[in-house]
Amino acid sequence: MSNEHSKVERVLQNSQPVGSPLPDWAPRRLPDAERLRGRWCTLERLDADRHADELSAAYAASEDSDWTYLPVGPFESADSYRSWVQAQAQTGDPRHYAVIDAASGRAVGTLSLMRHDPANGVIEVGWVVFSRAMQRTPISTEAHFLLMGYVFDELGYRRYEWKCDSLNAPSRRAAERLGFEFEGTFRQSTVYKGRSRDTSWFSIIDREWPQRRRAFEAWLAPENFDDDGTQRTALRGR
């Protein structure tokens, strides 16, 4: 029997094409890490007592435009933000993490793992709220890298998703820079803040991750930054 014929048989069932077999697949565990350490930052499970005041102070420098495409915010006061953090810190999905700046030891942003689907090995990064103190810095890139590495290398998930309002140009650019592939737009998928949202879908899948990981490691290496902390070479996620 020829190799070509064998290949055809492997992708046909009842004379119909089917997806690649996964004979060794088993459901993955839910995310459970309390802390993920990097060079520029550490991700800590969100805790109101430890993080709410620092995050509120960090977001004080933000503008209302930083909250336009988020379902919540801007918050009227530090107390209202603390109340929101207290509630979110108790949820299992989304599982929120505070981003701790290694230099200052202070919380400067949050992001989360959400829409957990361990049976299919699919999970989404969301609720990305980075303060001005970490935007366009190595901290923001490493925070994403730490979460990706945890999902693919430790948990063994197959697919890592990014979704955003299709009109959110900064989020779309960030997804592409970080190596996500654009998959399409779901029209009128969500209603939030009293308006309709078309949602752009992006993903990285497990077979793409090794190349993405090498790109992140090269970009985050100390030698990629000059004495002022400016990158020498841009990140090319794919």
Side-chain angles (χ1 to χ4, degrees):
M1 185 179 296
S2 70
N3 289 336
E4 182 179 356
H5 184 55
S6 298
K7 182 177 181 180
V8 171
E9 284 194 334
R10 283 198 296 272
V11 298
L12 291 181
Q13 181 175 321
N14 300 322
S15 300
Q16 296 168 299
V18 297
S20 301
L22 297 172
D24 300 321
W25 174 256
R28 284 4 191 188
R29 77 174 193 266
L30 290 167
D32 54 8
E34 293 293 322
R35 184 174 288 103
L36 300 170
R37 296 187 184 278
R39 173 172 176 257
W40 299 92
C41 67
T42 296
L43 304 186
E44 293 181 356
R45 182 74 188 278
L46 185 64
D47 180 271
D49 290 338
R50 295 204 311 273
H51 305 130
D53 290 344
E54 291 179 357
L55 288 168
S56 184
Y59 295 144
S62 300
E63 298 180 3
D64 287 357
S65 60
D66 289 349
W67 300 91
T68 298
Y69 298 109
L70 291 163
V72 299
F75 292 89
E76 296 179 356
S77 66
D79 286 341
S80 63
Y81 178 70
R82 171 179 278 275
S83 296
W84 185 82
V85 171
Q86 286 174 332
Q88 294 303 309
Q90 302 304 311
T91 67
D93 184 357
R95 186 179 180 87
H96 293 271
Y97 289 91
V99 183
I100 311 301
D101 179 357
S104 68
R106 298 180 64 84
V108 291
T110 64
L111 73 174
S112 75
L113 291 174
M114 58 186 289
R115 300 186 187 277
H116 308 161
D117 184 0
N120 294 298
V122 179
I123 203 163
E124 178 182 343
V125 59
W127 288 103
V128 180
V129 190
F130 290 171
S131 71
R132 295 294 173 101
M134 66 175 292
Q135 292 175 17
R136 300 181 180 276
T137 72
I139 301 171
S140 63
T141 299
E142 187 178 58
H144 281 293
F145 173 61
L146 290 173
L147 216 53
M148 288 183 199
Y150 174 60
V151 165
F152 285 117
D153 295 332
E154 184 168 339
L155 298 181
Y157 277 60
R158 304 174 60 234
R159 174 180 167 87
Y160 190 67
E161 297 180 336
W162 175 299
K163 303 187 186 88
C164 65
D165 191 310
S166 63
L167 298 176
N168 187 349
S171 183
R172 292 173 59 95
R173 288 195 298 270
E176 292 168 355
R177 174 181 175 270
L178 294 169
F180 287 83
E181 295 286 343
F182 175 64
E183 296 181 327
T185 299
F186 282 35
R187 299 178 299 165
Q188 296 186 187
S189 63
T190 305
V191 175
Y192 75 122
K193 290 185 173 177
R195 60 181 185 251
S196 179
R197 170 175 134 164
D198 292 352
T199 298
S200 293
W201 285 52
F202 299 80
S203 74
I204 297 173
I205 57 177
D206 52 0
R207 68 170 177 264
E208 298 166 343
W209 172 241
Q211 187 274 335
R212 306 298 197 267
R213 181 177 58 222
R214 289 191 295 271
F216 276 107
E217 290 171 343
W219 190 85
L220 289 165
E223 57 269 23
N224 189 44
F225 297 90
D226 63 21
D227 293 340
D228 296 324
T230 302
Q231 67 177 5
R232 301 181 190 276
T233 303
L235 175 65
R236 293 178 174 84
R238 60 177 185 270

